[in-house]
Amino acid sequence: ETGVTQTPRHLVMGMTNKKSLKCEQHLGHNAMYWYKQSAKKPLELMFVYNFKEQTENNSVPSRFSPECPNSSHLFLHLHTLQPEDSALYLCASSQDVTGQETQYFGPGTRLLVL
Amino acid sequence: RKEVEQDPGPFNVPEGATVAFNCTYSNSASQSFFWYRQDCRKEPKLLMSVYSSGNEDGRFTAQLNRASQYISLLIRDSKLSDSATYLCVVSYSGTYKYIFGTGTRLKVLA
């Protein structure tokens, strides 16, 4: 399935590096999300974009910087991360943000911060 | 109290068994409910939405109990391929906030 794609699939970075995660959805959806999934923890919502406009920043540290140039693309720019930021970062999309929509997830980027 | 709570398991069941999971939610304003399935090292995928009247999809049945604030998932005739983590998700009407549980791990044994 290629509804939502994410690159890279795996990323190892040092605390001083700058990297970006990319997400693309081919479903014609209007809303896109970034989630963080750590071991033994529930998915944590980080950012929500609706029609390219950010509608939620769930108290995420500024070392994570999202960018949504259009409804199909979403980026997460990373800089000066901490080891505790190591996790699976999942992108998702949904038709709208009514809360009743199915969310479609990408395969995720597994991030390791050394 | 967590907003969405699930028994983490694992639930180890033999093939062909019937297994049920519950998920409790704390906010009575919750409006929409879902079960997602997540295979090891893969992304979550929608298994089924949960409707007020309950709904069935093949071997899977979902129920909602608003009075007691829980949803359930029943799997009949378990298959080896049902082994996965099942995530309970609740959301609020008109919002984009989907609240995920930590998931219940199911292992179906041959």
Side-chain angles (χ1 to χ4, degrees), chain A residues 7 9 13 16-17 21 23 27 29 32 37-38 47 49-50 56 65 67-68 73-74 83 87 93 97-98 112:
Chain A
T7 54
R9 296 291 306 277
M13 59 188 291
T16 58
N17 291 157
L21 310 185
C23 175
L27 301 169
H29 289 167
M32 297 187 77
Q37 187 174 34
S38 304
F47 302 103
Y49 279 83
N50 189 32
E56 174 74 5
S65 174
E67 178 190 359
C68 188
H73 293 85
L74 186 63
S93 71
V97 290
T98 64
L112 177 62

PDB file of all heavy atoms in Angstrom, chain A residues 7 9 13 16-17 21 23 27 29 32 37-38 47 49-50 56 65 67-68 73-74 83 87 93 97-98 112:
ATOM      1  N   THR A   7       9.809   8.948   4.405  1.00  0.00           N
ATOM      2  CA  THR A   7      11.243   8.720   4.232  1.00  0.00           C
ATOM      3  C   THR A   7      12.012   9.608   5.211  1.00  0.00           C
ATOM      4  O   THR A   7      11.532  10.708   5.554  1.00  0.00           O
ATOM      5  CB  THR A   7      11.701   9.069   2.793  1.00  0.00           C
ATOM      6  OG1 THR A   7      11.303  10.416   2.474  1.00  0.00           O
ATOM      7  CG2 THR A   7      11.122   8.105   1.778  1.00  0.00           C
ATOM      8  N   ARG A   9      13.120   5.573   6.275  1.00  0.00           N
ATOM      9  CA  ARG A   9      12.480   4.587   7.148  1.00  0.00           C
ATOM     10  C   ARG A   9      13.265   4.418   8.452  1.00  0.00           C
ATOM     11  O   ARG A   9      12.685   4.104   9.494  1.00  0.00           O
ATOM     12  CB  ARG A   9      12.370   3.248   6.423  1.00  0.00           C
ATOM     13  CG  ARG A   9      11.478   3.292   5.197  1.00  0.00           C
ATOM     14  CD  ARG A   9      10.003   3.487   5.573  1.00  0.00           C
ATOM     15  NE  ARG A   9       9.561   2.489   6.517  1.00  0.00           N
ATOM     16  CZ  ARG A   9       9.151   1.276   6.179  1.00  0.00           C
ATOM     17  NH1 ARG A   9       9.107   0.925   4.911  1.00  0.00           N
ATOM     18  NH2 ARG A   9       8.760   0.432   7.110  1.00  0.00           N
ATOM     19  N   MET A  13      21.053   9.650  14.172  1.00  0.00           N
ATOM     20  CA  MET A  13      21.660  10.978  14.162  1.00  0.00           C
ATOM     21  C   MET A  13      22.266  11.329  15.515  1.00  0.00           C
ATOM     22  O   MET A  13      21.821  10.824  16.563  1.00  0.00           O
ATOM     23  CB  MET A  13      20.653  12.048  13.743  1.00  0.00           C
ATOM     24  CG  MET A  13      19.421  12.152  14.600  1.00  0.00           C
ATOM     25  SD  MET A  13      18.184  13.293  13.905  1.00  0.00           S
ATOM     26  CE  MET A  13      18.997  14.877  14.118  1.00  0.00           C
ATOM     27  N   THR A  16      23.903  16.802  17.630  1.00  0.00           N
ATOM     28  CA  THR A  16      24.170  18.098  17.006  1.00  0.00           C
ATOM     29  C   THR A  16      23.726  18.157  15.543  1.00  0.00           C
ATOM     30  O   THR A  16      23.847  19.184  14.891  1.00  0.00           O
ATOM     31  CB  THR A  16      25.665  18.439  17.083  1.00  0.00           C
ATOM     32  OG1 THR A  16      26.408  17.393  16.437  1.00  0.00           O
ATOM     33  CG2 THR A  16      26.114  18.563  18.535  1.00  0.00           C
ATOM     34  N   ASN A  17      23.239  17.035  15.040  1.00  0.00           N
ATOM     35  CA  ASN A  17      22.843  16.985  13.630  1.00  0.00           C
ATOM     36  C   ASN A  17      21.529  17.710  13.377  1.00  0.00           C
ATOM     37  O   ASN A  17      20.740  17.937  14.295  1.00  0.00           O
ATOM     38  CB  ASN A  17      22.666  15.527  13.174  1.00  0.00           C
ATOM     39  CG  ASN A  17      23.970  14.774  13.104  1.00  0.00           C
ATOM     40  OD1 ASN A  17      23.971  13.547  13.168  1.00  0.00           O
ATOM     41  ND2 ASN A  17      25.069  15.476  12.992  1.00  0.00           N
ATOM     42  N   LEU A  21      12.428  14.693   8.331  1.00  0.00           N
ATOM     43  CA  LEU A  21      11.584  13.564   7.958  1.00  0.00           C
ATOM     44  C   LEU A  21      10.558  14.062   6.954  1.00  0.00           C
ATOM     45  O   LEU A  21      10.047  15.175   7.078  1.00  0.00           O
ATOM     46  CB  LEU A  21      10.867  12.994   9.190  1.00  0.00           C
ATOM     47  CG  LEU A  21      11.711  12.683  10.416  1.00  0.00           C
ATOM     48  CD1 LEU A  21      10.849  12.009  11.483  1.00  0.00           C
ATOM     49  CD2 LEU A  21      12.909  11.844  10.058  1.00  0.00           C
ATOM     50  N   CYS A  23       6.967  13.187   4.691  1.00  0.00           N
ATOM     51  CA  CYS A  23       5.745  12.401   4.568  1.00  0.00           C
ATOM     52  C   CYS A  23       4.969  12.895   3.363  1.00  0.00           C
ATOM     53  O   CYS A  23       4.868  14.108   3.126  1.00  0.00           O
ATOM     54  CB  CYS A  23       4.896  12.548   5.827  1.00  0.00           C
ATOM     55  SG  CYS A  23       3.285  11.744   5.743  1.00  0.00           S
ATOM     56  N   LEU A  27      -3.787  10.336  -1.025  1.00  0.00           N
ATOM     57  CA  LEU A  27      -5.187   9.991  -0.812  1.00  0.00           C
ATOM     58  C   LEU A  27      -6.130  11.168  -1.016  1.00  0.00           C
ATOM     59  O   LEU A  27      -7.339  11.020  -0.831  1.00  0.00           O
ATOM     60  CB  LEU A  27      -5.352   9.430   0.612  1.00  0.00           C
ATOM     61  CG  LEU A  27      -4.498   8.193   0.910  1.00  0.00           C
ATOM     62  CD1 LEU A  27      -4.515   7.864   2.397  1.00  0.00           C
ATOM     63  CD2 LEU A  27      -5.015   6.999   0.103  1.00  0.00           C
ATOM     64  N   HIS A  29      -6.367  13.722   0.909  1.00  0.00           N
ATOM     65  CA  HIS A  29      -6.850  14.155   2.219  1.00  0.00           C
ATOM     66  C   HIS A  29      -6.466  15.604   2.500  1.00  0.00           C
ATOM     67  O   HIS A  29      -5.528  16.147   1.912  1.00  0.00           O
ATOM     68  CB  HIS A  29      -6.277  13.252   3.318  1.00  0.00           C
ATOM     69  CG  HIS A  29      -6.871  11.892   3.316  1.00  0.00           C
ATOM     70  ND1 HIS A  29      -6.329  10.840   4.038  1.00  0.00           N
ATOM     71  CD2 HIS A  29      -7.970  11.385   2.706  1.00  0.00           C
ATOM     72  CE1 HIS A  29      -7.066   9.762   3.872  1.00  0.00           C
ATOM     73  NE2 HIS A  29      -8.069  10.065   3.061  1.00  0.00           N
ATOM     74  N   MET A  32      -3.216  16.316   7.930  1.00  0.00           N
ATOM     75  CA  MET A  32      -2.028  15.493   8.141  1.00  0.00           C
ATOM     76  C   MET A  32      -1.538  15.669   9.570  1.00  0.00           C
ATOM     77  O   MET A  32      -1.721  16.731  10.174  1.00  0.00           O
ATOM     78  CB  MET A  32      -0.923  15.854   7.137  1.00  0.00           C
ATOM     79  CG  MET A  32      -1.320  15.577   5.696  1.00  0.00           C
ATOM     80  SD  MET A  32       0.024  15.789   4.522  1.00  0.00           S
ATOM     81  CE  MET A  32       0.968  14.269   4.791  1.00  0.00           C
ATOM     82  N   GLN A  37       5.748   7.558  18.655  1.00  0.00           N
ATOM     83  CA  GLN A  37       5.433   6.319  19.371  1.00  0.00           C
ATOM     84  C   GLN A  37       6.703   5.799  20.025  1.00  0.00           C
ATOM     85  O   GLN A  37       7.645   5.388  19.351  1.00  0.00           O
ATOM     86  CB  GLN A  37       4.849   5.262  18.428  1.00  0.00           C
ATOM     87  CG  GLN A  37       4.363   4.025  19.168  1.00  0.00           C
ATOM     88  CD  GLN A  37       3.647   3.024  18.260  1.00  0.00           C
ATOM     89  OE1 GLN A  37       3.995   2.873  17.094  1.00  0.00           O
ATOM     90  NE2 GLN A  37       2.635   2.338  18.793  1.00  0.00           N
ATOM     91  N   SER A  38       6.698   5.829  21.355  1.00  0.00           N
ATOM     92  CA  SER A  38       7.813   5.295  22.127  1.00  0.00           C
ATOM     93  C   SER A  38       7.397   3.949  22.693  1.00  0.00           C
ATOM     94  O   SER A  38       6.210   3.657  22.838  1.00  0.00           O
ATOM     95  CB  SER A  38       8.174   6.246  23.271  1.00  0.00           C
ATOM     96  OG  SER A  38       8.466   7.531  22.783  1.00  0.00           O
ATOM     97  N   PHE A  47       1.737  17.208  16.028  1.00  0.00           N
ATOM     98  CA  PHE A  47       1.269  18.335  15.207  1.00  0.00           C
ATOM     99  C   PHE A  47       0.116  17.885  14.323  1.00  0.00           C
ATOM    100  O   PHE A  47       0.057  16.729  13.907  1.00  0.00           O
ATOM    101  CB  PHE A  47       2.386  18.868  14.308  1.00  0.00           C
ATOM    102  CG  PHE A  47       3.610  19.329  15.033  1.00  0.00           C
ATOM    103  CD1 PHE A  47       4.755  18.546  15.066  1.00  0.00           C
ATOM    104  CD2 PHE A  47       3.624  20.559  15.683  1.00  0.00           C
ATOM    105  CE1 PHE A  47       5.887  18.968  15.731  1.00  0.00           C
ATOM    106  CE2 PHE A  47       4.754  20.996  16.353  1.00  0.00           C
ATOM    107  CZ  PHE A  47       5.886  20.197  16.382  1.00  0.00           C
ATOM    108  N   TYR A  49      -2.085  19.424  10.862  1.00  0.00           N
ATOM    109  CA  TYR A  49      -2.285  20.425   9.822  1.00  0.00           C
ATOM    110  C   TYR A  49      -3.589  20.139   9.115  1.00  0.00           C
ATOM    111  O   TYR A  49      -3.890  18.998   8.774  1.00  0.00           O
ATOM    112  CB  TYR A  49      -1.138  20.397   8.803  1.00  0.00           C
ATOM    113  CG  TYR A  49       0.082  21.132   9.257  1.00  0.00           C
ATOM    114  CD1 TYR A  49       1.001  20.521  10.097  1.00  0.00           C
ATOM    115  CD2 TYR A  49       0.316  22.443   8.861  1.00  0.00           C
ATOM    116  CE1 TYR A  49       2.126  21.205  10.531  1.00  0.00           C
ATOM    117  CE2 TYR A  49       1.439  23.138   9.280  1.00  0.00           C
ATOM    118  CZ  TYR A  49       2.338  22.507  10.119  1.00  0.00           C
ATOM    119  OH  TYR A  49       3.444  23.186  10.543  1.00  0.00           O
ATOM    120  N   ASN A  50      -4.372  21.187   8.899  1.00  0.00           N
ATOM    121  CA  ASN A  50      -5.612  21.071   8.163  1.00  0.00           C
ATOM    122  C   ASN A  50      -5.577  22.100   7.037  1.00  0.00           C
ATOM    123  O   ASN A  50      -5.455  23.296   7.302  1.00  0.00           O
ATOM    124  CB  ASN A  50      -6.807  21.321   9.094  1.00  0.00           C
ATOM    125  CG  ASN A  50      -8.118  21.005   8.422  1.00  0.00           C
ATOM    126  OD1 ASN A  50      -8.203  20.123   7.573  1.00  0.00           O
ATOM    127  ND2 ASN A  50      -9.167  21.702   8.813  1.00  0.00           N
ATOM    128  N   GLU A  56      -2.657  22.403  15.550  1.00  0.00           N
ATOM    129  CA  GLU A  56      -2.301  21.874  16.864  1.00  0.00           C
ATOM    130  C   GLU A  56      -0.785  21.772  16.971  1.00  0.00           C
ATOM    131  O   GLU A  56      -0.121  21.304  16.055  1.00  0.00           O
ATOM    132  CB  GLU A  56      -2.909  20.484  17.067  1.00  0.00           C
ATOM    133  CG  GLU A  56      -2.488  19.772  18.340  1.00  0.00           C
ATOM    134  CD  GLU A  56      -3.130  20.325  19.593  1.00  0.00           C
ATOM    135  OE1 GLU A  56      -3.986  21.223  19.481  1.00  0.00           O
ATOM    136  OE2 GLU A  56      -2.782  19.871  20.698  1.00  0.00           O
ATOM    137  N   SER A  65      10.415  20.894  14.363  1.00  0.00           N
ATOM    138  CA  SER A  65       9.811  21.988  13.611  1.00  0.00           C
ATOM    139  C   SER A  65       9.076  21.426  12.400  1.00  0.00           C
ATOM    140  O   SER A  65       9.703  20.902  11.480  1.00  0.00           O
ATOM    141  CB  SER A  65      10.906  22.968  13.170  1.00  0.00           C
ATOM    142  OG  SER A  65      10.375  23.960  12.332  1.00  0.00           O
ATOM    143  N   GLU A  67       6.668  21.422   8.917  1.00  0.00           N
ATOM    144  CA  GLU A  67       6.447  22.263   7.742  1.00  0.00           C
ATOM    145  C   GLU A  67       5.456  21.558   6.837  1.00  0.00           C
ATOM    146  O   GLU A  67       5.592  20.364   6.574  1.00  0.00           O
ATOM    147  CB  GLU A  67       7.759  22.490   6.978  1.00  0.00           C
ATOM    148  CG  GLU A  67       7.593  23.321   5.713  1.00  0.00           C
ATOM    149  CD  GLU A  67       8.847  23.334   4.858  1.00  0.00           C
ATOM    150  OE1 GLU A  67       9.861  22.723   5.253  1.00  0.00           O
ATOM    151  OE2 GLU A  67       8.804  23.943   3.777  1.00  0.00           O
ATOM    152  N   CYS A  68       4.472  22.290   6.364  1.00  0.00           N
ATOM    153  CA  CYS A  68       3.451  21.701   5.501  1.00  0.00           C
ATOM    154  C   CYS A  68       3.272  22.602   4.275  1.00  0.00           C
ATOM    155  O   CYS A  68       2.444  23.509   4.300  1.00  0.00           O
ATOM    156  CB  CYS A  68       2.141  21.541   6.262  1.00  0.00           C
ATOM    157  SG  CYS A  68       0.873  20.611   5.370  1.00  0.00           S
ATOM    158  N   HIS A  73       2.015  17.080   1.430  1.00  0.00           N
ATOM    159  CA  HIS A  73       3.369  16.907   1.951  1.00  0.00           C
ATOM    160  C   HIS A  73       3.491  17.482   3.358  1.00  0.00           C
ATOM    161  O   HIS A  73       2.964  18.555   3.652  1.00  0.00           O
ATOM    162  CB  HIS A  73       4.392  17.599   1.044  1.00  0.00           C
ATOM    163  CG  HIS A  73       4.518  16.962  -0.303  1.00  0.00           C
ATOM    164  ND1 HIS A  73       3.669  17.282  -1.346  1.00  0.00           N
ATOM    165  CD2 HIS A  73       5.368  16.008  -0.764  1.00  0.00           C
ATOM    166  CE1 HIS A  73       4.005  16.567  -2.400  1.00  0.00           C
ATOM    167  NE2 HIS A  73       5.021  15.785  -2.085  1.00  0.00           N
ATOM    168  N   LEU A  74       4.249  16.765   4.161  1.00  0.00           N
ATOM    169  CA  LEU A  74       4.481  17.195   5.542  1.00  0.00           C
ATOM    170  C   LEU A  74       5.919  16.843   5.894  1.00  0.00           C
ATOM    171  O   LEU A  74       6.384  15.749   5.586  1.00  0.00           O
ATOM    172  CB  LEU A  74       3.506  16.479   6.484  1.00  0.00           C
ATOM    173  CG  LEU A  74       3.482  16.888   7.944  1.00  0.00           C
ATOM    174  CD1 LEU A  74       3.055  18.338   8.101  1.00  0.00           C
ATOM    175  CD2 LEU A  74       2.536  15.968   8.737  1.00  0.00           C
ATOM    176  N   PRO A  83      18.684  12.058  23.323  1.00  0.00           N
ATOM    177  CA  PRO A  83      18.494  10.600  23.221  1.00  0.00           C
ATOM    178  C   PRO A  83      17.061  10.150  23.512  1.00  0.00           C
ATOM    179  O   PRO A  83      16.585   9.186  22.894  1.00  0.00           O
ATOM    180  CB  PRO A  83      19.483  10.049  24.261  1.00  0.00           C
ATOM    181  CG  PRO A  83      20.573  11.076  24.304  1.00  0.00           C
ATOM    182  CD  PRO A  83      19.871  12.402  24.138  1.00  0.00           C
ATOM    183  N   ALA A  87      12.565   7.250  18.868  1.00  0.00           N
ATOM    184  CA  ALA A  87      11.207   6.697  18.829  1.00  0.00           C
ATOM    185  C   ALA A  87      10.838   6.414  17.383  1.00  0.00           C
ATOM    186  O   ALA A  87      11.619   6.653  16.464  1.00  0.00           O
ATOM    187  CB  ALA A  87      10.206   7.699  19.429  1.00  0.00           C
ATOM    188  N   SER A  93      -2.745  10.719   7.756  1.00  0.00           N
ATOM    189  CA  SER A  93      -3.624  11.682   7.108  1.00  0.00           C
ATOM    190  C   SER A  93      -5.066  11.235   7.286  1.00  0.00           C
ATOM    191  O   SER A  93      -5.345  10.062   7.546  1.00  0.00           O
ATOM    192  CB  SER A  93      -3.297  11.818   5.615  1.00  0.00           C
ATOM    193  OG  SER A  93      -3.678  10.662   4.901  1.00  0.00           O
ATOM    194  N   VAL A  97     -10.822  16.950   9.716  1.00  0.00           N
ATOM    195  CA  VAL A  97     -10.491  16.899  11.145  1.00  0.00           C
ATOM    196  C   VAL A  97     -11.761  16.926  11.980  1.00  0.00           C
ATOM    197  O   VAL A  97     -11.869  17.645  12.963  1.00  0.00           O
ATOM    198  CB  VAL A  97      -9.543  18.041  11.548  1.00  0.00           C
ATOM    199  CG1 VAL A  97      -8.171  17.811  10.965  1.00  0.00           C
ATOM    200  CG2 VAL A  97     -10.095  19.400  11.128  1.00  0.00           C
ATOM    201  N   THR A  98     -12.728  16.117  11.610  1.00  0.00           N
ATOM    202  CA  THR A  98     -13.977  16.081  12.367  1.00  0.00           C
ATOM    203  C   THR A  98     -13.889  15.183  13.578  1.00  0.00           C
ATOM    204  O   THR A  98     -14.783  15.183  14.417  1.00  0.00           O
ATOM    205  CB  THR A  98     -15.121  15.559  11.474  1.00  0.00           C
ATOM    206  OG1 THR A  98     -14.824  14.204  11.120  1.00  0.00           O
ATOM    207  CG2 THR A  98     -15.277  16.421  10.230  1.00  0.00           C
ATOM    208  N   LEU A 112      16.883   6.999  15.885  1.00  0.00           N
ATOM    209  CA  LEU A 112      17.781   6.748  17.011  1.00  0.00           C
ATOM    210  C   LEU A 112      18.699   7.950  17.152  1.00  0.00           C
ATOM    211  O   LEU A 112      19.387   8.327  16.198  1.00  0.00           O
ATOM    212  CB  LEU A 112      18.601   5.484  16.781  1.00  0.00           C
ATOM    213  CG  LEU A 112      19.640   5.143  17.850  1.00  0.00           C
ATOM    214  CD1 LEU A 112      18.967   4.893  19.202  1.00  0.00           C
ATOM    215  CD2 LEU A 112      20.466   3.925  17.447  1.00  0.00           C
TER     216      LEU A 112
END
